[in-house]
Amino acid sequence: MTKFIYLIGYPLKHSISPEFQQAALDYYGLDVRYQLREVEEGLLASVVEDLRMPQSLGANVTVPYKERVLSLLDRTDDLARVVGAVNTIVNDGGSLVGYNTDVVGFVTALKDADFEPRDRRAVILGAGGAARAVGFALVREKVAWLAVVNRTKARADRLVSDLANYARAKGLATQVLALAWAESELRVAVKSCELIVNCTTLGMRHTAQEGESPLTEDMLGEGVLVYDLVYNPRETALLKVAKRAGAKTLSGLPMLVHQGAAAFKLWTQKEPPLSVMFRAAENALTKMGG
Ligand code: NAP
């Protein structure tokens, strides 16, 4: 019987996960298809319920459902529960288990880019599912200071309160604070930090926000690393702005492949063929003109 893995989200036109996940499945000759399921809000529960069928191995979950999907699952592993966001679901014999592989994907890509987060100052733009993974990753990596800036301030407050509780429980000294999405606040936070991570959807191809950057050139100091989780296009408006300002840049593509590789291992129990996945992801982006 052919098995299936789905990508659940909305919108999904920008996604290249099918290309690099299918390449990894084909590398092992597995009879498994990785398919997009663009799901409108009201249908999320029934689409997740369908993942219990024997032909389903599970799913990836993306914008905007990473937090909402938690309550629809039977259980989550410790990390996904702490983070409060799930990007990978495994169908364990009809029981749905949630994981968060964004945390490991984010940190692996950051360290591959030679950035050691310990004792550094960081700013996260956004407070959705991806920002939650990045926030917990940075606190676990022992950053000294972390600001979360979000358009909906209450959401940033919630994330910061969860991060502060986690840091306290683990005896970590990270200072965390929430800031409103106002130019004056953004300017101060961004000027004094060493790492900026864009976890908003601003700049995503095939959306109304394509071509938009959350920051302007004059806000950025030289030497800061600007890490944009948006990976399509490869060079977002934010990364262009950062390069012009003399900042270092990191695209979301390596994180995408590393989070996908960790998910692949959860579904198949096989070692992810990383170079095959990277090649397929690069080719898919090029084909899309990214
Ligand atoms: P999400 O849960 O829907 O959160 C979206 C975030 O974007 C929220 O903080 C939202 O603010 C903010 N936002 C949306 N429109 C905005 C605007 N016009 N101005 C300012 N802020 C705005 O999405 P997500 O799952 O966290 O994903 C966020 C991005 O990260 C997506 O582009 C996704 O593709 C990318 N991502 C990449 C990877 C990777 O591996 N590279 C992994 C995960 C996610 P409000 O709270 O005010 O709505």
Side-chain angles (χ1 to χ4, degrees), residues 14 62-64 66-67 102 126-131 150-152 155 181 198-202 204 209 212 228-231 252-253 255-257 259:
H14 66 282
T62 187
V63 183
K66 288 183 183 180
E67 293 165 82
D102 280 338
N150 196 47
R151 180 180 61 175
T152 308
R155 207 173 178 191
W181 191 270
N198 176 39
C199 303
T200 74
T201 47
L202 288 174
M204 258 170 91
Q209 300 164 333
E212 285 186 41
D228 198 342
L229 261 51
V230 175
Y231 58 85
L253 190 66
M255 170 176 171
L256 181 78
V257 174
Q259 64 73 32

